[in-house]
DNA sequence: TAACTAGGTTGCGAGTTGCAACTGAAAACT
DNA sequence: AGTTTTCAGTTGCAACTCGCAACCTAGTTA
């Protein structure tokens, strides 16, 4: 594995900071979850989340500004405003579920009585949010490798994969990382 | 679909708040990513992330306290301390990747030259972080349904699935949510 | 011994957060 | 019509957190 160390460019350009700009704020994920749960109105969020009015107002405005929620006046009651998830907001579902599954796996209290997310086809609980290979295999840290776009492998049809497609994700730093080693180290 | 509305119990018990307690802090995810990138020492994080010393100190301590990183004095130089990911920390990889993929998908600048996460088997870029059904099918928002544990389906062998296993995830609120409807609404 | 390095801690100003009270418009009651 | 209630905000103020710079301490190097 060649030494691969780039001139340490700013890490601002890797997707994560952009995501955190909105979702890193203290209440954003809780509001997002409430939206996934079907809440739409200001006062609903307010009483459900126990957040301060001004913060909620501010957060909702930011989420709307970033295109995660959209703000529509209600037809039947013109005081009311509906905050609904956009496509962009719905796309945060994997991230939210991954976080929640992690929190649940390591959290102290497990409340089994709460409703459960199921596959509507067979009503069985969903599995863990997973990192998939291009062919659908589930990948763990030990299966991942960080490399330069130039060193990408070739697909069966001989075409070179481009990082942009299929959500190829940059880790943003010019270092080859052996996640398997990291995993081994974690095991002590 | 029966009306399903619980007495609005506190939402603190759903995994997400527990996750956010640590990872909701402003720099936690950036530090985590740096860890995945192989950074181990205080001064490395400091210069790489551009974070303030005191905040970094505080965040690292919290991450250690929550068992995401572990703090080990370096063998060869007893001034140095290594911060390494634990198993619990490694388990945050799907959440971090999901966030990053989202940020990259909707972010303005796409830097193609950055290194890319690949499947080490064939060196092809990884796919999107996905929500899987128990049988491995990839699920979208439209395939998900929120239900009570009592109404779970049965597996092929006739056993009733338990929410605890296979990362069944509670949304924490006693409301049945039709995510397909939400998706349709998002489309405008 | 002096200088340097790694990892913190402390003090200070600026920015955020939470709480409570107030506003202003639309709906509901009387 | 006139009062009250509801909805979604805004404003003022206290408490907390952040970022910056300076300082501190133990271990290493010259």
């Amino acid at each position: 594995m060649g030494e691969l160390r780039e001139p340490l460019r700013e890490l601002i350009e890797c997707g994560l900071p952009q995501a955190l700009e909105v979702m890193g704020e203290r209440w954003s994920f809780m509001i997002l979850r409430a939206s996934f749960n079907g809440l739409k109105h200001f006062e609903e969020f307010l009483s459900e989340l126990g957040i301060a009015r001004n913060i909620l107002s501010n957060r909702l405005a930011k989420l709307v500004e970033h295109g995660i929620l959209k703000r529509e006046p209600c037809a039947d009651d013109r005081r009311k405003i509906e905050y609904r998830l956009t496509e962009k907001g719905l796309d945060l579902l994997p991230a939210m579920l991954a976080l929640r599954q992690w929190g649940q796996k390591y959290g102290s209290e497990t409340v089994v009585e709460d409703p459960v997310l199921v596959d509507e086809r067979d009503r069985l609980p969903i599995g863990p949010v997973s990192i998939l290979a291009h062919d659908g295999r589930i990948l763990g840290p030990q299966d991942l490798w960080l490399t330069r776009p130039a060193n990408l492998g070739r697909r069966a049809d001989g075409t070179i994969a481009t990082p942009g497609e299929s959500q190829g994700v940059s880790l943003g730093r010019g270092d080859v990382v052996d996640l398997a080693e990291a995993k081994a180290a974690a095991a002590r």
Side-chain angles (χ1 to χ4, degrees), chain A:
Chain A
M1 195 56 5
E3 258 307 303
L4 180 57
R5 190 168 266 272
E6 287 181 314
L8 269 211
R9 90 167 54 95
E10 288 303 323
L11 295 188
I12 304 175
E13 349 187 356
C14 81
L16 190 58
Q18 302 195 19
L20 292 176
E21 188 184 328
V22 215
M23 301 312 297
E25 306 257 13
R26 219 168 286 280
W27 285 97
S28 298
F29 263 108
M30 294 298 287
I31 294 174
L32 188 79
R33 186 198 53 170
S35 281
F36 274 112
N37 279 13
L39 302 209
K40 292 183 189 63
H41 300 291
F42 191 91
E43 308 286 332
E44 287 181 303
F45 290 108
L46 196 68
S47 64
E48 187 87 354
L49 297 176
I51 183 178
R53 286 185 99 75
N54 51 352
I55 306 298
L56 176 60
S57 176
N58 186 310
R59 263 333 85 90
L60 286 174
K62 264 184 194 167
L63 288 169
V64 169
E65 181 189 328
H66 281 85
I68 291 164
L69 297 178
K70 58 189 169 187
R71 187 181 188 282
E72 309 183 330
C74 223
D76 57 329
D77 184 342
R78 274 181 305 178
R79 292 172 304 181
K80 286 189 181 177
I81 285 173
E82 284 197 354
Y83 292 95
R84 301 176 139 276
L85 286 165
T86 61
E87 194 76 28
K88 183 173 175 182
L90 283 168
D91 271 353
L92 276 167
L93 184 59
M96 196 202 64
L97 278 183
L99 256 183
R100 157 170 304 185
Q101 288 179 345
W102 180 85
Q104 196 160 291
K105 176 171 180 183
Y106 291 102
S108 40
E109 334 165 38
T110 317
V111 180
V112 188
E113 299 161 28
D114 275 345
V116 166
L117 258 192
V118 297
D119 176 0
E120 64 100 37
R121 194 142 110 189
D122 49 21
R123 292 288 163 82
L124 290 173
I126 61 171
V129 173
S130 302
I131 301 163
L132 297 185
H134 70 103
D135 58 2
R137 295 187 337 273
I138 295 178
L139 302 175
Q142 63 275 52
D143 304 314
L144 295 179
W145 202 264
L146 191 60
T147 189
R148 311 193 82 145
N151 301 336
L152 286 180
R154 281 151 198 283
R155 275 192 292 259
D157 59 11
T159 56
I160 299 179
T162 61
E165 74 181 274
S166 85
Q167 311 293 342
V169 162
S170 153
L171 273 179
R173 185 161 170 277
D175 212 343
V176 166
V177 173
D178 187 347
L179 285 164
E181 192 279 330
K183 179 128 188 175
R188 189 76 182 81

